[in-house]
Amino acid sequence: MRRTQRFKRSWIELAEALIKVRAGRAYERWGYEDFHAYCAQELTLKKATVDKLTVSYSTVQRHAPEVLEWDGVARTIPTVEAIDYFSRAIGDGPANDPSADEEPAPSRRAPARPHAPEVLTELKNAVFDEGQPVAELRKRFDPVLNPRPKGADKLDLLNKASAAARKLAELLPDLDGLPEKRVRKLEEELGALRDDIEALAEPLREKVARAAKRTAPPRLPAAQSG
């Protein structure tokens, strides 16, 4: 049972330990001036992974602190991916992580779009009370939190069709036994098909790009040097 609990609580315990190391600057005693350098060289954890863990832990602390007491068996602890999805929706990031250093590096996450409080409440319940995996969260909430521009689905289908035609054309010469004349004809027809697909996709691509630009959150300012 204890081993099961440790397994279920693994990301929570790792994130908590990382935050304690960072807060106490223990990495300096071990010869590192930078927390993320210590994580990369000693723990082989990338900066993005460390930030996901620590931000997710801080998000739990602020929005559902009771989860930190769960054993992972009687009550399922949400995955770090699900917490990360929630933290991005509410706008959490390294720059506003209260457990971070006094002057944390600016968050490179795009600012969250403003969402209706009832939507965020429903998302919080889905993450903490229902314990839904991130795949289900995306399926359920992406249409509201991250709506796709009109025409994006059709454009995706056209791009997949074009890629499939290109792949088939590349494979044809390697297929032994096919008549050379037929291969040349198919290559020409597939090339013409890709041209037709591109003719359909190009205006749609521009339309989708314009729509995405209108709905995109403000760009983050460039980091100041010095």
Side-chain angles (χ1 to χ4, degrees):
M1 177 63 74
R2 287 195 298 271
R3 290 179 180 182
T4 301
Q5 290 171 346
R6 287 197 297 269
F7 173 73
K8 297 289 188 178
R9 287 179 51 86
S10 59
W11 84 259
I12 288 280
E13 294 184 353
L14 174 57
E16 182 180 29
L18 289 172
I19 287 174
K20 288 180 179 179
V21 167
R22 184 179 62 188
R25 295 182 176 269
Y27 54 87
E28 293 180 349
R29 299 197 302 273
W30 303 327
Y32 293 93
E33 296 182 359
D34 179 79
F35 171 65
H36 286 100
Y38 157 74
C39 291
Q41 296 180 41
E42 292 289 341
L43 308 179
T44 65
L45 292 175
K46 296 179 180 179
K47 182 179 185 300
T49 301
V50 173
D51 287 345
K52 178 188 287 188
L53 286 165
T54 55
V55 169
S56 296
Y57 187 93
S58 297
T59 296
V60 173
Q61 278 186 313
R62 288 197 300 279
H63 298 279
E66 68 278 5
V67 171
L68 300 178
E69 304 301 323
W70 295 354
D71 64 3
V73 178
R75 293 290 302 272
T76 301
I77 295 175
T79 66
V80 66
E81 290 79 14
I83 301 297
D84 182 63
Y85 184 89
F86 175 71
S87 70
R88 290 175 184 274
I90 63 177
D92 278 1
N96 55 13
D97 179 356
S99 71
D101 298 335
E102 292 183 4
E103 296 182 1
S107 172
R108 303 318 301 165
R109 291 184 177 185
R113 295 184 178 91
H115 301 298
E118 57 270 21
V119 172
L120 297 181
T121 298
E122 184 180 350
L123 173 60
K124 180 180 178 181
N125 292 337
V127 172
F128 296 107
D129 297 333
E130 301 171 24
Q132 291 195 357
V134 70
E136 291 299 320
L137 296 176
R138 291 193 181 110
K139 185 185 302 183
R140 178 174 170 184
F141 291 97
D142 269 4
V144 178
L145 299 177
N146 304 299
R148 303 197 72 195
K150 186 177 180 180
D153 291 338
K154 182 178 179 181
L155 181 60
D156 284 349
L157 185 60
L158 290 170
N159 288 335
K160 289 178 182 178
S162 180
R166 176 182 56 79
K167 184 64 175 178
L168 180 56
E170 292 174 351
L171 291 173
L172 286 175
D174 298 328
L175 298 177
D176 295 333
L178 288 179
E180 185 177 345
K181 183 177 180 181
R182 176 174 293 179
V183 169
R184 288 200 303 269
K185 182 178 180 182
L186 286 173
E187 287 176 334
E188 291 175 0
E189 291 178 347
L190 288 169
L193 175 62
R194 292 187 64 200
D195 289 341
D196 291 342
I197 291 174
E198 179 61 24
L200 294 173
E202 184 57 29
L204 190 58
R205 190 176 294 117
E206 295 177 359
K207 181 179 178 181
V208 169
R210 289 196 300 269
K213 188 175 181 180
R214 288 196 301 269
T215 59
R219 294 182 62 183
L220 294 169
Q224 296 293 324
S225 60

